[in-house]
Amino acid sequence: MATQQAKEIGNKKAEQIPQSNFVYGYAALYPKGNMVTPYLKEQYTKKTKQFWDKYYRSNTTKSFKDRHWLLREFNELLDFTISPVKILEVGCGVGNSLFPLLNQTEHLYFYSFDFSTRAIDFLKKNELYNENRCIAFVHDIATQDLPSFILESSMDHALLIFVLSAIIPINMQNVFSRIYQTLKPGGYLFFRDYCEDDLAQQRFENSQGQKKLDEKFYVRVSGTLAYYFSLDEIRTFANTVGFEIVQLEQVCKQVENKKLEIIMQRKFIQAKLRKPIIN
């Protein structure tokens, strides 16, 4: 049922996307069903920043919905005794998590970063950007230590929302390690990302112009990357650096695509990971 739905969605999307949209990446050069060649895989993994900059240049701030659900799912963000509560936001994009949380709270202060220069430019131009409550900067946590102004054990909590899946798998453990170092004891890492066997993963296997780089690892037409996780993979990342697993589960959602007039069954992984309190 899900596989058939993925095929139908893929066909509808192929009909609606102009052929000119397939020029951002290399994937459209290869027939459906082929793995990306080693050369092109190297190009995609080396040029992730450039592809995301191109993506934001084309889509500006209109690609992703604001995440008004964050406080409902991660209500620990509302618990505080001292203000401000410092939040490290990894992969902030154009502010789809940041701005809803700034609007819904008064006690949170954000250190938000993304490796796309263009995304940070858009974020800072937003009228809701307030330097009294956040600082936004360009940084690649997958390959670089965090800046010196973010001290070890200085952050109350961290957000990693639909970011890890866009990172090359060999660098994913580095992301968990660097976040862990910045958190205070008792601080949470709040996580949500794509789950294996999600409808979007099935669509990668059935839609024109979307290709496979490795097991569960794909390149979109735009040249951006997408990985689909198992619960065991996230558990391993967390355990390796010493996080306590407070929550780790698969979340199933019905998502309506009004443009395509369809209801999609989506699967995500959600986690709350806590740095142990030192006794």
Side-chain angles (χ1 to χ4, degrees):
M1 178 68 178
T3 302
Q4 181 61 34
Q5 187 183 16
K7 289 180 180 179
E8 292 173 358
I9 294 170
N11 291 336
K12 285 188 178 183
K13 289 179 73 70
E15 291 171 2
Q16 294 190 17
I17 299 175
Q19 190 63 32
S20 59
N21 283 6
F22 289 90
V23 301
Y24 300 123
Y26 304 99
L29 299 175
Y30 290 85
K32 177 181 173 183
N34 282 6
M35 293 283 290
V36 169
T37 66
Y39 170 76
L40 292 183
K41 180 179 178 180
E42 181 182 15
Q43 295 302 303
Y44 281 122
T45 54
K46 278 186 174 181
K47 298 179 179 180
T48 51
K49 180 183 184 300
Q50 290 94 317
F51 280 118
W52 275 107
D53 279 337
K54 288 181 179 179
Y55 177 86
Y56 284 117
R57 182 179 65 191
S58 300
N59 297 281
T60 64
T61 61
K62 302 175 182 178
S63 297
F64 305 108
K65 294 181 180 179
D66 283 346
R67 295 160 183 155
H68 297 287
W69 48 266
L70 287 167
L71 289 181
R72 182 183 71 243
E73 298 294 333
F74 305 124
N75 56 20
E76 292 84 357
L77 289 167
L78 295 172
D79 297 336
F80 68 99
T81 55
I82 299 176
S83 180
V85 175
K86 296 180 180 179
I87 307 295
L88 183 73
E89 185 188 7
V90 180
C92 61
V94 295
N96 298 102
S97 296
L98 172 66
F99 293 129
L101 288 173
L102 286 178
N103 186 53
Q104 294 168 355
T105 68
E106 296 181 352
H107 64 283
L108 302 179
Y109 186 93
F110 288 85
Y111 295 78
S112 301
F113 62 88
D114 199 284
F115 75 165
S116 170
T117 303
R118 197 172 295 274
I120 294 298
D121 287 344
F122 279 126
L123 186 149
K124 287 186 171 182
K125 290 176 182 177
N126 192 305
E127 62 181 10
L128 298 176
Y129 183 71
N130 180 359
E131 291 186 346
N132 292 322
R133 296 200 55 200
C134 59
I135 178 173
F137 55 98
V138 177
H139 183 73
D140 182 3
I141 193 174
T143 61
Q144 302 170 331
D145 289 334
L146 285 160
S148 58
F149 62 84
I150 297 181
L151 303 177
E152 185 172 339
S153 301
S154 64
M155 296 290 118
D156 294 288
H157 302 302
L159 295 176
L160 187 62
I161 308 295
F162 295 110
V163 173
L164 195 67
S165 55
I167 292 173
I168 302 166
I170 197 173
N171 291 330
M172 290 178 180
Q173 188 66 67
N174 294 338
V175 176
F176 278 81
S177 298
R178 288 173 176 137
I179 293 173
Y180 185 89
Q181 291 172 0
T182 69
L183 286 174
K184 298 176 181 178
Y188 280 89
L189 167 58
F190 300 113
F191 175 90
R192 185 183 278 195
D193 218 320
Y194 302 119
C195 182
E196 61 183 359
D197 199 35
D198 174 46
L199 181 63
Q201 182 187 8
Q202 296 172 19
R203 197 167 62 219
F204 271 115
E205 299 286 352
N206 294 289
S207 297
Q208 183 181 6
Q210 299 172 330
K211 298 301 162 189
K212 194 170 185 178
L213 296 173
D214 213 328
E215 188 67 24
K216 303 193 301 181
F217 191 37
Y218 303 85
V219 58
R220 300 184 181 94
V221 172
S222 62
T224 59
L225 309 179
Y227 189 91
Y228 292 81
F229 296 97
S230 68
L231 292 172
D232 284 342
E233 286 173 314
I234 302 304
R235 183 178 292 107
T236 297
F237 289 142
N239 287 338
T240 297
V241 297
F243 274 115
E244 297 173 346
I245 298 175
V246 177
Q247 178 195 39
L248 177 58
E249 62 186 21
Q250 184 182 109
V251 177
C252 297
K253 297 284 186 181
Q254 283 192 342
V255 180
E256 181 180 5
N257 188 319
K258 295 182 179 179
K259 182 178 181 181
L260 298 179
E261 298 181 344
I262 53 175
I263 301 295
M264 299 181 291
Q265 303 294 332
R266 302 301 308 273
K267 294 181 180 179
F268 308 117
I269 290 180
Q270 182 166 301
K272 298 178 183 180
L273 311 174
R274 183 170 56 203
K275 186 173 183 177
I277 296 175
I278 301 173
N279 294 322

